[in-house]
Amino acid sequence: EGGHGPYQPHEPGYGLDQPGYSPYEDEIPDAQARMLAIKNAKAYLLKTSTKSGLNVYDHFATILTKILDEQPANTVDIIETISQDVKWAQFRKKMDTLRDEHLIPPTFEAAEKCKALFIKETGEEEHEELDEEMGEPALPNVMETAFYFEQAGIGLSKDECYYIFLAFKNLISVQPIQTCRFWGKILGLEMNYIIAEVQLREGEEEEEREEEEEETVAEEEKEMGEGEEEEEQKEKEPEPPKSTYKPPPEIPKEANGTGTNKYVYFVCNEPGKPWVKLPPVTPAQIVCARQIKKFFTGRLDAPIVSFPPFPGNEANYLRAQIARISAGTHVSPTGFYQFPEDEEEEEGGDTYEENPEFEPPPVAEMVESLAMWAHHVKGILKQGRCVWINPAQKSEEDEEEGEEEEEEEEEERQEETGQPLLTLISEDEGMKNIPAWTAQASTNLIPEYSIAILQSNRWPGAYAFASGRKFENIYFGWGHKYSPESHTPTLPPPAEAEFPSEPGITEAADPTVEEELAFKAAQEEALAEDEEEEEEEGEDD
Amino acid sequence: SLNCLDWSLLTPATEEVLALAEEVKGRFQGDPSFEYSLAEINPEAAARLVQSGKEPVMKEEARLIATIEQIDRAVGIVPRGAFVKTPLGSVHENRHFEGLSLVEAKKLSSYFHFTEPTNLKNKTLLEKADLDPSTDFLNSLEHDIPQGKGSWSIQLEKGGSVVVLRSLLWLGLTFYHVPMTKQFGYVYFGTGEKNLDLPFML
């Protein structure tokens, strides 16, 4: 008002400073009344809200300050959000006086665990000496493998891979390990498993075997002792008829270091958690694992409720699945491994060594024909082992009755042969019309650096790659075999007959009264006849 | 698309095609024009098709579309509060969705199927009182069969900064959500087959 000076007639503001002509006509002309109106308006704006203790005036002031400070783009579009943010900020400020208890976020706790992985060990000098003795580095280069698999589109995130790498380093420093490999990751319901395939140094394995033998001997002695007590008790009571059911002789598991137990496996739920060793697998477990299909929960001591009842808990089931997957899907380029020359092939040589003269075939060939790949793990027979064993030979505690029967059964059970080691995977059967393996090159655009990738269709989640001399197998998945038909659980067997049918036990209807009378009459007749005969004979005399 | 360069548009599937696709079992071939012979799988449907003048085959393209539709319907999930329903009935994204809290993120009940709700009316009155009609208008995940453990595996990764749900019914469907942020989503990597053995596996 009047601050612009008198306007000349040709200027736009001319005449507007006269009262009555100003653009703001609806304003109260009287200065005093205007001041009062302004005061009233301000008082209204300052009125405190009953709900939150804020008032519109302060709120607007804060918003405007914020807008002028930050100067965001498109302010009018986000004005509501700004208003909400300011209100939220107000809320927080008021709570400061109370000082919430400092909640430790779980991210922090997890980071603490991982921190242990990152700490360098103090005994570094000793480790360096050991490394020189052993020659080959035992620590697998997880990051390199991860890089190759990433080209195929498979793998874990770089972060996780690095954590796994560090966890492996820990494992090696704790356990006496000769070679070690990242086997893969199996998903579970509550937690996942990260699995390391390991070969322990030789001395350690023998120690374990001795321990196991001692345990089994102690158990046998215990059983014998108990058996004697039971027999004494039984003599007193009349025994119920003994069942003729004899469980099939237990097939002994393969020794550590051969066949299915060639490698020892360690698992952990997450990198940073302690590594747990999985027990060696028994053939009975493998046979049962073939018949059931269960999710892993993530806890190693969880029981497996299934039919046929699985002998063991989740740790055993996990080990059995790992054995099956390894036997089914671990492959290498043909020729990379060869039998040592002095080994007879008839025995189904279990050992193989690297072929120093191996020339890696070009990637295109590896993709086109599956004959360029070969299994380097022995397949598992139906019995559950890699090497067939005749269980009748080993049974030393036979009872006297069964010898003849067993001899007959021996003839029936034929020796099972599986595929010998180093068979080409082109001989793997597919299911229906699905081939067992799918091969691809990682990229068609840069053939010089592409790698050959194999996906297994029998075990979805098993992958292998090869590039020049490097190759690797890995598994990421749920741990189940693929079957085109749905899984049908085995039906329970028909209930066994409890007792063999003997005259003393079998039921028979009691003879009716007429039958009894008839029988009695017949008997009397027979007696009478006899008497008559005797009388006759007597008379004859 | 087969090579991420050339993309072809898929037409949405009809109910018949969906029903047929459920019959076809086995892996996908990788060739969209591959034809499954329906005569082996479902002779009735084949006969019907022949009568209506078409050949008794099913193209892999159609099977693909049907599978995608099935997966979306069965296991497409969103966190609670991400979508709101207006009183007029239309559903749209909630711009003020700030993510679930850590405690909420671990519970199956804070995730919903993103399809037509079917069992909202079956809930007891007590439960209904707790519901907020603008956000709780979809089926919750809690009631997925089988009861109890359900058909989902819920895990916290990276020390609790990401929550990952994996479906056990369609193996390979993974849903992720970063608590206290707006980020969530789901992807499917897998063979495209329903896991019918689920009841035996739990």
Side-chain angles (χ1 to χ4, degrees):
Chain A
E1 289 169 87
H4 293 246
Y7 286 102
Q8 305 301 320
H10 66 270
E11 282 174 3
Y14 183 71
L16 285 181
D17 53 346
Q18 306 300 323
Y21 291 103
S22 103
Y24 304 104
E25 266 297 321
D26 48 349
E27 270 189 12
I28 305 164
D30 184 20
Q32 276 261 325
R34 204 164 28 221
M35 290 306 291
L36 190 57
I38 290 175
K39 269 194 206 159
N40 282 343
K42 188 168 172 183
Y44 169 70
L45 289 178
L46 275 169
K47 202 157 59 162
T48 317
S49 145
T50 44
K51 263 204 271 186
S52 61
L54 302 172
N55 58 49
V56 182
Y57 189 82
D58 285 338
H59 191 59
F60 274 139
T62 328
I63 292 180
L64 284 173
T65 324
K66 187 169 168 159
I67 293 179
L68 289 173
D69 283 340
E70 292 177 8
Q71 308 233 343
N74 287 337
T75 316
V76 67
D77 291 334
I78 52 172
I79 189 100
E80 286 93 3
T81 327
I82 295 178
S83 165
Q84 216 182 23
D85 285 339
V86 167
K87 275 197 188 152
W88 204 47
Q90 284 272 353
F91 185 55
R92 247 195 304 181
K93 221 162 79 172
K94 285 200 177 165
M95 294 292 276
D96 252 2
T97 47
L98 281 178
R99 274 261 184 119
D100 282 329
E101 196 185 299
H102 181 58
L103 288 170
I104 305 176
T107 34
F108 182 71
E109 288 177 0
E112 279 272 309
K113 284 186 207 155
C114 291
K115 194 171 153 191
L117 286 177
F118 283 91
I119 296 176
K120 264 192 183 175
E121 300 228 10
T122 50
E124 261 192 59
E125 294 176 9
E126 296 176 12
H127 282 284
E128 284 179 16
E129 287 177 18
L130 277 175
D131 273 348
E132 287 174 12
E133 284 177 14
M134 289 197 302
E136 282 180 25
L139 182 64
N141 196 345
V142 175
M143 298 310 289
E144 199 182 339
T145 317
F147 165 73
Y148 282 113
F149 274 115
E150 206 182 343
Q151 310 226 316
I154 312 150
L156 306 169
S157 68
K158 281 268 166 41
D159 285 350
E160 198 168 345
C161 279
Y162 202 73
Y163 280 131
I164 294 177
F165 200 14
L166 290 173
F168 268 83
K169 180 156 163 287
N170 258 1
L171 179 64
I172 286 183
S173 59
V174 170
Q175 301 274 349
I177 287 177
Q178 195 177 5
T179 59
C180 166
R181 200 176 77 79
F182 177 46
W183 187 89
K185 180 171 176 180
I186 288 191
L187 304 170
L189 291 179
E190 293 166 26
M191 289 183 285
N192 306 323
Y193 290 116
I194 294 176
I195 299 163
E197 186 183 73
V198 150
Q199 250 180 343
L200 295 176
R201 269 183 256 144
E202 292 181 1
E204 303 298 324
E205 283 180 34
E206 288 177 13
E207 276 182 30
E208 286 172 23
R209 243 182 275 167
E210 284 176 15
E211 284 178 18
E212 283 180 16
E213 282 179 13
E214 284 174 15
E215 282 178 18
T216 45
V217 164
E219 281 178 16
E220 282 177 15
E221 286 178 3
K222 258 196 235 168
E223 284 177 13
M224 298 268 286
E226 286 175 8
E228 287 173 7
E229 288 176 17
E230 283 179 9
E231 282 177 21
E232 288 175 12
Q233 283 178 5
K234 273 192 188 167
E235 285 174 9
K236 298 173 194 169
E237 300 167 357
E239 292 178 13
K242 282 198 189 150
S243 77
T244 48
Y245 169 71
K246 255 183 288 208
E250 192 183 312
I251 305 172
K253 68 180 187 209
E254 291 180 296
N256 293 346
T258 62
T260 46
N261 286 320
K262 184 162 186 175
Y263 294 101
V264 177
Y265 291 92
F266 283 86
V267 297
C268 74
N269 285 120
E270 271 179 15
K273 294 212 176 147
W275 289 91
V276 177
K277 184 167 166 189
L278 285 181
V281 67
T282 65
Q285 288 168 357
I286 292 192
V287 165
C288 194
R290 281 183 172 142
Q291 295 172 321
I292 63 176
K293 197 172 175 187
K294 284 274 190 180
F295 278 120
F296 293 99
T297 61
R299 290 169 286 124
L300 283 174
D301 49 358
I304 306 265
V305 179
S306 66
F307 186 80
F310 187 78
N313 56 13
E314 181 154 319
N316 302 99
Y317 183 49
L318 180 63
R319 181 69 181 79
Q321 291 292 89
I322 293 177
R324 288 172 71 199
I325 293 176
S326 296
T329 63
H330 275 36
V331 294
S332 56
T334 311
F336 190 85
Y337 288 118
Q338 65 176 15
F339 290 116
E341 291 177 0
D342 40 342
E343 185 96 2
E344 293 177 5
E345 274 208 33
E346 288 178 9
E347 288 184 8
D350 204 20
T351 58
Y352 48 82
E353 53 183 33
E354 282 186 35
N355 182 354
E357 298 158 19
F358 171 65
E359 278 181 21
V363 170
E365 265 187 49
M366 302 222 58
V367 169
E368 270 179 32
S369 89
L370 291 177
M372 305 302 302
W373 299 80
H375 286 278
H376 61 255
V377 178
K378 267 199 153 178
I380 302 184
L381 306 169
K382 254 177 107 175
Q383 204 184 34
R385 293 166 52 102
C386 288
V387 173
W388 191 80
I389 197 168
N390 192 347
Q393 289 172 3
K394 292 237 167 178
S395 42
E396 299 164 1
E397 303 166 5
D398 275 343
E399 295 183 5
E400 300 170 354
E401 303 171 12
E403 278 182 0
E404 292 179 358
E405 294 174 37
E406 280 189 322
E407 283 176 4
E408 290 172 6
E409 285 177 17
E410 262 185 51
E411 294 171 5
E412 289 175 7
R413 256 183 251 145
Q414 290 173 355
E415 184 172 335
E416 297 175 24
T417 48
Q419 293 174 339
L421 201 58
L422 297 186
T423 43
L424 307 174
I425 65 175
S426 47
E427 299 176 26
D428 277 352
E429 297 170 3
M431 303 149 288
K432 286 193 185 178
N433 51 354
I434 306 170
W437 295 89
T438 309
Q440 290 178 317
S442 64
T443 165
N444 293 327
L445 299 172
I446 309 180
E448 303 93 51
Y449 290 108
S450 73
I451 60 178
I453 297 157
L454 266 190
Q455 285 181 32
S456 169
N457 292 328
R458 275 201 287 175
W459 291 96
Y463 303 98
F465 84 87
S467 163
R469 289 197 76 97
K470 284 198 196 303
F471 75 95
E472 190 62 65
N473 299 288
I474 209 160
Y475 183 85
F476 292 117
W478 294 93
H480 299 118
K481 194 170 186 171
Y482 174 74
S483 63
E485 299 95 22
S486 311
H487 163 78
T488 42
T490 44
L491 296 170
E496 304 243 9
E498 274 191 22
F499 309 107
S501 18
E502 292 170 42
I505 313 180
T506 37
E507 285 182 358
D510 274 343
T512 60
V513 180
E514 293 124 354
E515 285 180 18
E516 279 190 12
L517 283 177
F519 185 62
K520 205 171 166 188
Q523 261 195 336
E524 282 172 7
E525 277 181 17
L527 265 181
E529 282 179 12
D530 285 345
E531 285 175 8
E532 283 176 10
E533 286 180 10
E534 285 182 15
E535 285 173 7
E536 285 177 7
E537 287 174 15
E539 286 175 2
D540 287 340
D541 285 345
Chain B
S1 165
L2 291 170
N3 54 4
C4 289
L5 281 179
D6 312 310
W7 297 82
S8 42
L9 184 65
L10 297 174
T11 52
T14 60
E15 294 292 336
E16 296 173 8
V17 175
L18 277 178
L20 271 182
E22 280 202 44
E23 304 281 331
V24 181
K25 293 207 209 294
R27 304 279 296 267
F28 283 84
Q29 297 293 331
D31 176 16
S33 48
F34 181 80
E35 294 178 347
Y36 295 96
S37 152
L38 278 176
E40 292 173 359
I41 301 167
N42 192 345
E44 297 174 357
R48 261 185 277 137
L49 278 178
V50 165
Q51 284 174 3
S52 62
K54 301 183 212 162
E55 293 179 12
V57 293
M58 179 170 203
K59 289 186 75 171
E60 174 142 314
E61 220 179 8
R63 186 176 169 215
L64 184 63
I65 298 164
T67 311
I68 296 175
E69 180 76 32
Q70 274 179 333
I71 294 180
D72 271 337
R73 265 196 215 170
V75 289
I77 58 178
V78 293
R80 181 173 179 274
F83 287 87
V84 284
K85 188 171 181 176
T86 61
L88 300 171
S90 61
V91 178
H92 48 248
E93 218 181 287
N94 181 2
R95 281 182 210 283
H96 294 292
F97 176 59
E98 290 293 338
L100 302 171
S101 67
L102 263 182
V103 174
E104 278 179 30
K106 282 197 222 173
K107 294 196 282 190
L108 266 188
S109 56
S110 22
Y111 300 98
F112 295 144
H113 285 279
F114 195 54
T115 52
E116 297 288 331
T118 49
N119 65 351
L120 278 180
K121 299 189 185 158
N122 296 345
K123 294 198 185 181
T124 63
L125 274 179
L126 260 184
E127 288 177 12
K128 276 195 203 169
D130 289 331
L131 295 184
D132 178 12
S134 63
T135 52
D136 291 318
F137 56 94
L138 299 167
N139 281 347
S140 158
L141 283 193
E142 273 184 323
H143 305 287
D144 272 359
I145 46 170
Q147 289 282 340
K149 284 196 216 163
S151 67
W152 293 91
S153 141
I154 183 166
Q155 287 170 359
L156 291 172
E157 300 262 341
K158 263 195 155 189
S161 54
V162 174
V163 58
V164 174
L165 271 90
R166 292 201 181 89
S167 164
L168 303 176
L169 189 56
W170 291 92
L171 288 179
L173 189 289
T174 314
F175 168 88
Y176 70 90
H177 173 55
V178 185
M180 302 315 290
T181 67
K182 284 178 91 163
Q183 299 168 7
F184 64 89
Y186 66 87
V187 294
Y188 181 83
F189 287 112
T191 65
E193 288 161 312
K194 201 166 177 177
N195 181 18
L196 293 167
D197 306 329
L198 181 61
F200 295 119
M201 289 166 80
L202 282 177

